[in-house]
């Protein structure tokens, strides 16, 4: 059974029109809003237990790919099928309110990620322990450091017991101990044969961690195969486009 | 459509509850005065409007004291106005969630409307206190209140669905809202009795669902008679129409919210 399936998926965006005035002008001038394709004709299948790393320069369509998997946006043409509960580690601490305590925010964030109150009750202790926030859990999170905030968000996200994890540059945030902790949690998921899709510019992480690599280039799927091959292909494309000095430079190119 | 509502509540009822509680708790924690204002602001409004329209404009409300006449309409009107206003900006306010996590987006306007129920409860308590101090009898017709309130809620939700979805595409909706609410209030019998509207215009005037709703509140609370079926009947019909249009429009547009927000 396939976990994630894209069948000739394309996604077109209309460039922003945010004011009534602009819409009226467009109608008056018989002008249509400018459109562009963020993804073109992507077909791929991810099997349960696969750990997929996605490579591509900024603006290549990686985020759109994650949004389509997460189901927050619909393809313009084609079909996206996803089986299982998704944990988007894209927005840590979704719905957190600064005035409320850590404990109250666990419930809000957990419900947003699709947990029932009873499920949160059962996992509460684990979530607090993992976040290392036992002493501060009844403090409003406006008094939290950014590290504490991230730990709490991450802890809730990994406790939703997902089948599929979507990870977007998660290791770019937080200090070294937090990153180590994330990595341990991710390894645990890998051992449990969870499906993971990771977008990152950290090539060594991807190389050591992923079982498959995808290269998204200008909205198209340029390569799909073993991670080492994917990295080679990505370097080749970068060199072709920008010249030799980009050979090693893409990871110093954060979002 | 109604069939879409039941699974929504089953699966997402807890989230709606969590988001509603979040706003209520946060406001309570920020300041106790936050809720004191909910009582003080309408009382200030009530006093000013009472003086202006009773003594300057000499609006005649028969045996019912003007302040009571005004307040029975001002309380529900303020609820609808505040709820619509909060719901209209609710999607933009939750843009981070909408672009990252999959959930029915209708949760946001619904929760915005529910949050304002706290304010309504407080101002209703003030209204009741006012009624008792002024010697207003409580009639058995008070049993109509749940039905009238249901119509008002559905109407408020319908309008909120249309305006919140529109606001995602055209940010000026938020700016036009204030004018829209002001016009709506003056075209509703909040500060004057509906009999002041010329007979020839009554038919058109009654198309505003707020007319029937306010008339129904006054009939049952102040006069001890059933809701006036000509205007309240209209209100029910128009409410059903507004809600169906709002629900459909919202469902149709929500697929692209994450793309344009």
């Amino acid at each position: 059974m396939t976990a994630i399936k894209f069948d000739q998926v394309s996604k077109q965006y209309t460039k922003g029109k945010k004011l009534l005035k602009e819409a009226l002008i467009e109608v008056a001038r018989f002008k249509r809003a400018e459109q562009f394709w963020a993804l073109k004709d992507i077909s791929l299948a991810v099997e349960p237990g696969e750990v997929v790393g996605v490579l591509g320069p900024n603006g290549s369509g990686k985020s759109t790919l994650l949004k389509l998997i997460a189901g927050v946006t619909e393809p313009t043409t084609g079909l996206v099928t996803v089986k299982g509960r998704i944990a988007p580690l894209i927005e840590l601490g979704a719905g957190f309110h600064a005035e409320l305590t850590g404990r109250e925010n666990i419930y809000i964030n957990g419900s947003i990620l699709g947990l029932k109150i009873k499920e949160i009750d059962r996992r509460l202790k684990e979530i607090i322990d993992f976040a290392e926030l036992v002493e501060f859990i009844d403090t409003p999170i406006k008094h939290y450091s950014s590290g504490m905030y991230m730990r709490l968000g991450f802890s809730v996200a990994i406790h939703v017991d997902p089948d599929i994890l979507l990870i977007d540059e998660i290791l770019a945030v937080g200090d070294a101990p937090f990153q180590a902790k994330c990595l341990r949690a991710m390894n645990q998921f890998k051992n449990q044969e969870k499906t993971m899709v990771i977008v990152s510019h950290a090539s060594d992480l991807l190389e050591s961690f992923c079982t498959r690599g995808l290269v998204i280039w200008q909205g198209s799927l340029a390569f799909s195969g073993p991670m080492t091959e994917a990295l080679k292909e990505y370097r080749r494309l970068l060199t072709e486009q920008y010249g030799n000095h980009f050979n090693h430079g893409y990871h110093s190119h954060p979002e | 459509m109604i069939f879409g509502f039941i699974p929504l509540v089953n699966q997402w009822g807890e989230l709606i509850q969590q988001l509603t509680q979040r706003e209520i708790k946060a406001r309570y924690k920020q300041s106790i005065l936050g809720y004191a204002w909910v009582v003080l602001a309408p009382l200030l409004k009530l006093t000013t409007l009472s003086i202006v329209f009773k003594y300057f404009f000499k609006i005649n409300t028969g045996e019912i004291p003007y302040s009571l006449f005004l307040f029975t309409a001002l309380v529900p009107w303020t609820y609808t106005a505040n709820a619509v206003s909060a719901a209209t900006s609710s999607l933009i306010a939750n843009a981070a969630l909408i672009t990252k996590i999959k959930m029915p987006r209708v949760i946001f306007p619904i929760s915005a409307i529910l949050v304002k129920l706290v304010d309504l409860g407080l101002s209703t308590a003030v209204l009741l206190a006012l009624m008792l101090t002024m010697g207003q009898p409580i009639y058995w017709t008070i049993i109509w209140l749940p039905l009238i309130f249901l119509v008002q809620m559905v109407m408020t939700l319908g309008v909120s669905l249309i305006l919140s979805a529109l606001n995602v595409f055209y940010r000026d909706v938020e700016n036009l809202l204030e004018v829209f609410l002001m016009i709506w209030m003056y075209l509703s019998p909040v500060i004057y009795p509906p009999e002041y509207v010329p007979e020839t215009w009554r038919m058109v005037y009654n198309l505003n669902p707020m007319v029937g709703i306010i008339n129904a509140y006054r009939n049952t609370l102040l006069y001890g008679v059933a809701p006036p079926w000509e205007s309240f009947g209209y209100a029910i019909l128009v409410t059903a129409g507004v809600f169906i249009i709002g629900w459909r429009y919202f469902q149709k547009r929500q697929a692209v919210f994450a793309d344009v927000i």
Side-chain angles (χ1 to χ4, degrees), chain B residues 52-71:
Chain B
V52 170
F53 289 99
K54 186 176 176 184
Y55 295 107
F56 302 175
F57 282 85
K58 303 207 184 321
I59 285 178
N60 184 5
T61 52
E63 306 153 27
I64 305 291
Y66 180 74
S67 51
L68 210 52
F69 177 88
L70 173 67
F71 212 43

Side-chain angles (χ1 to χ4, degrees), chain A residues 46-182:
Chain A
V46 178
E47 301 303 323
E50 271 194 283
V51 181
V52 180
V54 183
L55 295 163
N58 294 340
S60 59
K62 292 179 309 236
S63 296
T64 306
L65 187 83
L66 281 193
K67 281 183 181 175
L68 285 165
I69 299 172
V72 292
T73 187
E74 284 174 14
T76 311
T77 61
L79 193 66
V80 176
T81 339
V82 177
K83 293 213 173 78
R85 174 134 79 180
I86 298 179
L89 299 193
I90 302 174
E91 174 87 351
L92 287 184
F96 273 10
H97 197 299
E99 296 290 337
L100 303 182
T101 67
R103 189 187 303 273
E104 288 166 331
N105 274 304
I106 289 175
Y107 279 90
I108 294 164
N109 189 221
S111 310
I112 286 170
L113 296 177
L115 287 179
K116 297 274 169 214
I117 306 277
K118 274 186 185 160
E119 291 176 292
I120 304 173
D121 286 338
R122 243 182 286 131
R123 294 168 202 190
L124 189 64
K125 195 182 170 301
E126 260 178 87
I127 293 173
I128 298 171
D129 287 345
F130 186 90
E132 298 167 23
L133 286 169
V134 180
E135 297 161 69
F136 302 103
I137 202 62
D138 292 308
T139 308
I141 61 167
K142 65 178 171 188
H143 301 305
Y144 280 20
S145 67
S146 55
M148 292 158 84
Y149 186 98
M150 301 300 302
R151 289 207 305 270
L152 188 62
F154 186 78
S155 181
V156 180
I158 62 162
H159 283 91
V160 301
D161 191 22
D163 304 301
I164 300 168
L165 275 98
L166 303 180
I167 301 164
D168 192 0
E169 285 298 353
I170 198 153
L171 296 175
V173 292
D175 53 8
F178 177 68
Q179 291 194 3
K181 196 160 196 172
C182 289

Side-chain angles (χ1 to χ4, degrees), chain B residues 9 19 86 136 194 218 220 223 234 238 253:
Chain B
V9 172
L19 288 176
Q136 168 70 34
R218 284 208 178 108
T220 53
Y223 303 105
Y234 264 128
V238 175
R253 295 298 244 170

